[in-house]
């Protein structure tokens, strides 16, 4: 403790203590292990399902950039403590800031988050993410951009943002748009949950390893002494399995998904699904329609356009566009659905959000357009500026079925 003369703690002393406390918190929330030339980063907020706070994001960004410059580091492994890899960004502090009129603080949060996503998408060294549990929202941004993504029988993947009045961000418009057919639109709009086998099948995961084999796998990865990803790939291939999809898996319905989710508008997607339901009624179609009907109309419309634009853009432009969208969502001038969705799902938990606009047809194209424009009238606002990066590896989305 720093104490000023006379026993009173001065401003500088208080700031120093606060800085030290923040560092200690971020260090305990991201655990670091060193095994020869391998670094293991473990997200350590298990009671919060490893939800990302700003301190964790800043710490991860610092570590990944430092390891990239350190010639002794050849491989980085990222995993989560407890039953989640990462359930996403911690939304409640953002909502508190927005309600208090400080939406720019929420924008600062995603500035760091999207910068980290971009670093991972352009990382020059091999990264392995072990997804042995829940992977949602921001957790997908931490892992899917990396070279190797290991799913297990415990993996549960989802992008549930439209139920919260948000949209699939963290570069999701880049990776969802590269899934087979229109499966990305289905996953992004409905918030459908995928298991490890489905992640492998559609390409979100590169490997599937039973959780009982993870300890042995990690022990072999610790022996890696090169940044050549082919050596890591050889190790992973020796452990990987190809599990059968469950009978009720949505991936068996790619033909229906492509017919419906290829439609131009959200209204036309729902109409196509209703048409399929009249020909062959089943639980999957009715569940899909209900998910779309319960989601925020504004979120559905901006999410569909975002994924469609993502097909034609690289990851950098996707993140810059998503930053514009996030700022408009946080500012709340077009719709306040993000605050309302978080209230209904995360705070009051009545699961009965009052969306505004209430109907899809009330969310006009001109309103959707505004989310994709600069926040011109806000003093000091700028587009997201991403670090210049030399290494831009192509995201490997390879469907296994």
């Amino acid at each position: 403790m720093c104490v000023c003369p006379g026993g009173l703690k001065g401003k500088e002393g208080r700031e120093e203590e606060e800085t030290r406390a923040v560092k200690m918190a971020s260090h305990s929330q991201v655990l670091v292990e060193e095994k020869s030339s391998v670094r293991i980063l473990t997200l350590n907020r298990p009671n919060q399902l490893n939800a990302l706070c700003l301190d964790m994001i800043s710490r991860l960004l610092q570590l990944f950039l430092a390891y990239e410059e350190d010639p002794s580091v050849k491989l980085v492994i990222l995993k989560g403590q407890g039953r989640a890899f990462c359930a996403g960004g911690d939304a409640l502090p953002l909502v508190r800031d927005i309600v208090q009129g400080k939406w720019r603080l929420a924008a600062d949060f995603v500035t760091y988050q999207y910068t980290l996503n971009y670093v991972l998408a352009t990382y020059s060294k091999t990264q392995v993410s072990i997804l042995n549990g829940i992977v949602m929202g921001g957790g997908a941004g931490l892992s899917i951009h990396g070279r190797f993504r290991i799913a297990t029988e415990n993996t549960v993947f989802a992008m549930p943002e439209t139920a919260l009045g948000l949209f699939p961000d963290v570069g999701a418009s880049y990776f969802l748009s590269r899934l087979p057919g229109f499966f990305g639109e289905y996953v992004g709009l409905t918030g459908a949950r995928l298991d490890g086998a489905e992640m492998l099948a559609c390409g979100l995961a590169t490997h599937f390893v039973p959780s009982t084999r993870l300890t042995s796998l990690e022990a072999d990865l610790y022996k890696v002494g090169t940044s050549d990803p082919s050596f890591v790939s050889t190790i992973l291939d020796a452990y990987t399995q190809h599990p059968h999809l469950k009978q009720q898996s949505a991936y068996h319905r790619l033909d229906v998904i492509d017919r419906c989710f290829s439609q131009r508008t959200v209204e036309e997607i729902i109409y196509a699904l209703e048409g399929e339901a009249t020909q062959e009624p089943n639980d999957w179609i009715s569940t899909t329609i209900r998910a779309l009907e319960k989601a925020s109309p504004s979120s559905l419309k901006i999410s569909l356009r975002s994924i469609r634009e993502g097909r034609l853009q690289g990851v950098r432009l996707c993140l810059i566009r998503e930053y514009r969208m996030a700022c408009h969502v946080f500012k709340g001038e077009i719709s306040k659905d993000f605050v309302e969705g978080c209230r209904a799902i995360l705070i009051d938990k009545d699961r009965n959000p009052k969306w505004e606009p209430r109907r899809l047809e009330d969310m006009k194209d001109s309103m959707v357009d505004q989310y994709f424009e600069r926040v011109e009238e806000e003093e000091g606002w700028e587009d997201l500026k991403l670090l210049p990066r030399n290494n831009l590896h192509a995201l490997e989305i390879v469907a296994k079925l």
Side-chain angles (χ1 to χ4, degrees):
M1 180 182 292
C2 181
V3 180
C4 278
L8 293 176
K9 195 185 301 179
K11 180 181 178 183
E12 289 184 3
R14 287 196 303 273
E15 289 178 349
E16 186 177 326
E17 276 196 9
E18 289 170 2
T19 301
R20 189 182 302 119
V22 167
K23 283 185 176 179
M24 288 176 64
S26 65
H27 282 52
S28 67
Q29 292 167 348
V30 179
L31 305 179
V32 179
E33 293 179 79
E34 297 184 7
K35 300 282 187 180
S36 187
S37 58
V38 178
R39 299 294 178 270
I40 305 98
L41 306 181
T42 303
L43 306 180
N44 188 39
R45 291 181 81 199
N47 292 338
Q48 293 79 29
L49 300 178
N50 297 322
L52 294 168
C53 62
L54 183 58
D55 292 339
M56 293 171 72
I57 292 170
S58 301
R59 176 71 171 148
L60 287 166
L61 183 58
Q62 173 194 30
L63 290 167
F64 272 103
L65 289 174
Y67 293 156
E68 195 165 42
E69 296 299 317
D70 187 343
S72 70
V73 177
K74 308 298 183 185
L75 168 66
V76 182
I77 297 173
L78 187 60
K79 58 183 183 176
Q81 191 79 268
R83 64 189 185 94
F85 170 75
C86 173
D90 192 347
L92 294 182
L94 306 188
V95 172
R96 282 196 294 269
D97 289 335
I98 293 168
V99 169
Q100 293 171 9
K102 303 173 183 176
W103 72 267
R104 294 289 290 269
L105 293 178
D108 290 343
F109 176 90
V110 295
T111 295
Y112 279 95
Q113 187 174 30
Y114 295 0
T115 301
L116 175 60
N117 299 146
Y118 185 59
V119 166
L120 296 176
T122 56
Y123 207 59
S124 62
K125 294 186 177 179
T126 307
Q127 179 203 342
V128 174
S129 295
I130 299 176
L131 311 177
N132 187 32
I134 296 166
V135 187
M136 294 185 181
L142 272 187
S143 54
I144 306 301
H145 294 296
R147 193 178 296 270
F148 297 113
R149 291 92 61 187
I150 314 304
T152 76
E153 75 281 3
N154 299 320
T155 305
V156 180
F157 176 94
M159 301 298 291
E161 286 83 0
T162 60
L164 287 171
L166 193 56
F167 62 93
D169 63 336
V170 296
S173 62
Y174 179 72
F175 61 74
L176 289 180
S177 64
R178 282 154 177 80
L179 299 184
F182 293 86
F183 196 63
E185 276 91 336
Y186 163 70
V187 171
L189 295 184
T190 66
R193 295 188 174 196
L194 307 180
D195 62 21
E198 290 169 316
M199 285 189 73
L200 183 71
C202 74
L204 284 169
T206 57
H207 298 79
F208 182 99
V209 177
S211 59
T212 55
R213 301 278 285 148
L214 289 178
T215 300
S216 298
L217 170 62
E218 289 183 52
D220 281 346
L221 289 174
Y222 296 160
K223 301 171 187 174
V224 170
T226 174
S227 289
D228 186 343
S230 65
F231 284 84
V232 174
S233 183
T234 299
I235 294 171
L236 295 175
D237 288 346
Y239 281 87
T240 198
Q241 295 183 3
H242 295 275
H244 293 295
L245 292 171
K246 295 175 182 175
Q247 186 176 353
Q248 69 270 29
S249 170
Y251 206 68
H252 288 312
R253 306 177 187 276
L254 270 182
D255 55 341
V256 178
I257 287 172
D258 287 351
R259 282 198 299 272
C260 297
F261 284 85
S262 61
Q263 300 297 318
R264 189 179 64 87
T265 67
V266 178
E267 292 94 330
E268 289 169 351
I269 289 172
I270 294 174
Y271 183 76
L273 285 164
E274 290 171 341
E276 295 282 343
T278 61
Q279 295 187 27
E280 186 187 350
N282 62 68
D283 289 344
W284 176 81
I285 290 182
S286 58
T287 299
T288 301
I289 293 172
R290 280 199 304 272
L292 293 171
E293 290 176 341
K294 289 176 65 175
S296 156
S298 62
S299 292
L300 287 173
K301 289 207 167 183
I302 66 175
S303 297
L304 180 60
R305 176 166 164 183
S306 180
I307 294 169
R308 295 276 161 87
E309 290 197 4
R311 272 194 176 83
L312 305 175
Q313 295 176 327
V315 65
R316 177 177 171 274
L317 288 180
C318 283
L319 287 164
I320 290 172
R321 171 177 41 71
E322 289 174 9
Y323 178 74
R324 288 187 180 186
M325 296 169 66
C327 286
H328 283 292
V329 167
F330 297 154
K331 195 174 183 186
E333 288 191 343
I334 311 163
S335 171
K336 293 179 170 55
D337 278 0
F338 177 56
V339 170
E340 173 60 12
C342 289
R343 179 207 64 76
I345 305 299
L346 303 178
I347 301 172
D348 296 341
K349 300 182 181 178
D350 58 37
R351 307 192 75 82
N352 187 30
K354 302 293 189 289
W355 303 127
E356 187 60 45
R358 186 172 60 86
R359 303 179 304 170
L360 285 166
E361 54 265 38
D362 295 332
M363 186 67 186
K364 306 299 184 184
D365 289 346
S366 59
M367 298 165 71
V368 174
D369 290 342
Q370 292 178 58
Y371 282 91
F372 295 78
E373 296 168 358
R374 290 171 51 84
V375 189
E376 295 287 7
E377 68 278 10
E378 186 70 24
E379 183 179 352
W381 184 93
E382 292 183 333
D383 269 325
L384 179 64
K385 288 182 169 54
L386 293 170
L387 305 169
R389 305 279 298 166
N390 295 324
N391 183 66
L392 183 57
H393 62 258
L395 177 67
E396 183 187 358
I397 296 283
V398 179
K400 299 297 194 295
L401 287 177

